[in-house]
Every structure is written in structure tokens, then in C-alpha cells.
Amino acid sequence: GTLPPPKGHTIEDWEERPQTLFRSTTYGDDIDRALKKSDGSWTYFAGDIAYHVDKFRRGFPQMITILGADHGGYVKRLEAAVTAVTQGRGSSEIKITQLVNLSENGQPLKMSKRAGTFVSLRDVIDRVGRDATRFMMVTRRNDMTIDFDFAKVLEQSRDNPIFYVQYAHARACSVLRHAHVLWPSFATDHYDLLTDVAELAIIRQLAEWPRQVENAAMTREPHRIANYLSAVAASFHGLWNKGKDDIQLRFIDDKAPDLSHARLGIVQAVASVIANGLLLLGIEPVQEMH
């Protein structure tokens, strides 16, 4: 077939020429798409089709394709191509990811391909570490711009999400180590003794964990896990601080073993949920902060 001139452009010497096209209009696209260039080489789109065919043939009918912010126009044609080449037996869910703005102390790091000044992912990992990079990249939805400030990612404060979450896990592990000195083993079956509002609130929050994982998987939104872990960390740090201010609310009281064991059950649950959440994101939970 032939294609009309590009939309929005008036090309006086435009000549229609026969091309190898994918008739994507049959599958909901607004225009047919070229598969071969004028010099006979394949277009990028042809390579994309081959890539999805290979996935399908390897036994993956449900495919998730991640594209950059400047590839929004590819969505319809890729969906059409997957439907066509798999005869409707395959599907491709396409996620568009927005850009990452790198900065240092609030000042943007300007990059230019032409000038040869750019920051690679390897540069970022070498600077802040793999785990911090992973966590920061999933704190926002994929269709939202991420602001990545090197200074904040490296500082040890609650403004640094990964530090705040890892600190909560390390703090919970520290409490459990101290508890095992008094009680090498303990049963956490006295939850009826817990009456403080903050304790009951974190129990309800922890009970949401399975649903959070399910929702994150169903919606393809790993940022739900990262944000949930940050919320659990904030609740646990708040509970810790209440115990510092009020001796009656401390996790460990050797004069009230049953109540202590119930509170230690919360601490165990916090450590378990945070560890599992970090591992889901490919991040190693730490037991001590250095």
C-alpha cells in the first residue's frame, strides 16, 4: 500500500510510493504503519513486532511493554500488532514511563546528548547504591515525573524514604535482639492486653499488607508497596517515640512479660512486613544501620 504525507506537514514534492505496510487500521489504529524503509531496511516498528512475536512464541501471551514518555504514539500500533500476529490470543499492556529529574541540593543537573554531558544509570548507582536507586525509582507512579535529589537520597533523615524504611527494620531487629536476651522464646497471644490507640492502629495497618501486595500486582503499580512501607515505618517510629516519652508504652518491660510479648508481636510483624516488602522490590533489608 501507500501512505499519505505526515500530518501537519505540507510537502509539495510528496510522492506516494508502494511500501510494505502493516494494516493496523483494521485493528483500531488511525493509520497504517510502514514496515520497510525506502532503502529496503526494516523500520523500528517491524523490530517491535518481531520482539512481541518472540515473547508470544516463548509462552507469554500476556505481555507488559514499558515505553518512554516520548513513545505515547506507539500504544495503538503495538496493541494492534500484538492482536494481529497472535490472532487475538495475546495481549500487550503498555506502560508509559515519565522522565527522572536529577538534582543536587535542589539544583537541577543539566544534561545534553549534543554536548556529551549526561548522567547514566551506572553513575547514579555508583553514587547512591543499588538499593537506594531502586527504592527511589518506585516511590512514584510510572506516569509521574520522579525528582531524584542526590543529597536527599544520601542523607540520614526522614526526608530520605529508603533510609527511613531501612531504619525502621533495623530498629525492630534491635528490639527483638534485646527481647531474646530476656526471653529466648515467647508466645505472642496476649493481644487483648493492647489498648493504646497507636498500637491498635499499626495492627490494622499491618493487616492490610496482603491486600497491598495484591493491589500492587493487579494494577502494575509497585509504588504502592514503597509508599505502604514508608507509612508502616512512620507508624513504627511514632510508636517507638511514644515509648521513649511514656515508660508504660515501651516494648520491653520485664515486670509485665505478657504485655511485652504482645508488643513484641507487633515488632515482629513490622520487621517481617518491611523485610518482605523490600525483598519484593529487589532490595536487601538491613538489620543494623552503620
Side-chain angles (χ1 to χ4, degrees):
T2 60
L3 291 176
K7 290 182 179 179
H9 297 275
T10 302
I11 305 176
E12 294 181 0
D13 59 347
W14 176 264
E15 292 184 9
E16 291 187 346
R17 61 179 181 81
Q19 291 179 269
T20 301
L21 304 178
F22 166 58
R23 201 170 298 285
S24 54
T25 50
T26 305
Y27 299 91
D29 199 0
D30 53 359
I31 190 173
D32 294 333
R33 306 291 178 175
L35 294 179
K36 274 194 174 181
K37 302 177 187 177
S38 58
D39 63 0
S41 62
W42 296 105
T43 62
Y44 286 122
F45 181 48
D48 292 336
I49 295 176
Y51 171 69
H52 285 79
V53 169
D54 180 61
K55 277 188 178 182
F56 181 75
R57 287 177 176 171
R58 285 187 287 115
F60 301 101
Q62 291 178 294
M63 296 168 266
I64 300 173
T65 303
I66 300 172
L67 299 177
D70 55 344
H71 286 75
Y74 268 63
V75 174
K76 280 188 177 179
R77 72 186 74 175
L78 274 179
E79 289 176 342
V82 170
T83 299
V85 297
T86 66
Q87 298 181 328
R89 290 176 291 145
S91 65
S92 180
E93 182 180 344
I94 298 173
K95 293 291 186 181
I96 300 293
T97 59
Q98 285 299 326
L99 301 177
V100 178
N101 295 325
L102 297 175
S103 61
E104 184 80 67
N105 287 314
Q107 298 299 313
L109 295 177
K110 294 183 179 180
M111 292 186 279
S112 168
K113 286 184 180 178
R114 183 172 297 175
T117 56
F118 62 93
V119 180
S120 69
L121 181 58
R122 169 53 57 193
D123 295 331
V124 175
I125 293 172
D126 288 344
R127 178 84 183 275
V128 304
R130 185 199 67 176
D131 289 350
T133 302
R134 279 179 181 267
F135 196 86
M136 290 301 294
M137 289 296 182
V138 292
T139 54
R140 305 289 291 274
R141 282 172 43 153
N142 60 277
D143 58 356
M144 295 178 69
T145 301
I146 296 174
D147 294 316
F148 195 112
D149 191 315
F150 283 107
K152 283 194 174 177
V153 176
L154 289 170
E155 70 182 23
Q156 296 188 349
S157 76
R158 65 179 303 163
D159 293 330
N160 178 353
I162 182 60
F163 171 80
Y164 202 54
V165 171
Q166 288 279 33
Y167 188 31
H169 182 262
R171 180 171 266 179
C173 291
S174 175
V175 172
L176 293 172
R177 283 195 298 270
H178 283 90
H180 285 302
V181 173
L182 287 172
W183 307 291
S185 62
F186 50 83
T188 54
D189 55 358
H190 298 285
Y191 294 111
D192 56 310
L193 299 176
L194 300 174
T195 57
D196 182 75
V197 173
E199 291 174 336
L200 299 178
I202 198 171
I203 289 173
R204 285 192 293 271
Q205 188 179 40
L206 292 167
E208 296 174 6
W209 171 236
R211 181 60 58 86
Q212 291 287 342
V213 176
E214 182 181 15
N215 287 342
M218 296 294 290
T219 58
R220 317 282 194 259
E221 294 180 342
H223 75 276
R224 291 173 180 256
I225 300 294
N227 293 344
Y228 172 79
L229 294 181
S230 295
V232 169
S235 298
F236 182 67
H237 288 309
L239 207 57
W240 170 280
N241 291 329
K242 287 190 74 170
K244 283 181 64 179
D245 298 333
D246 184 351
I247 193 172
Q248 301 298 321
L249 293 174
R250 291 185 178 175
F251 296 124
I252 299 174
D253 181 355
D254 57 359
K255 296 182 179 60
D258 288 347
L259 178 59
S260 294
H261 294 174
R263 287 174 174 159
L264 289 170
I266 294 177
V267 178
Q268 281 185 323
V270 167
S272 177
V273 165
I274 292 179
N276 282 304
L278 290 174
L279 290 170
L280 275 179
L281 300 177
I283 297 170
E284 189 68 29
V286 300
Q287 296 195 7
E288 294 181 284
M289 301 298 287
H290 300 288

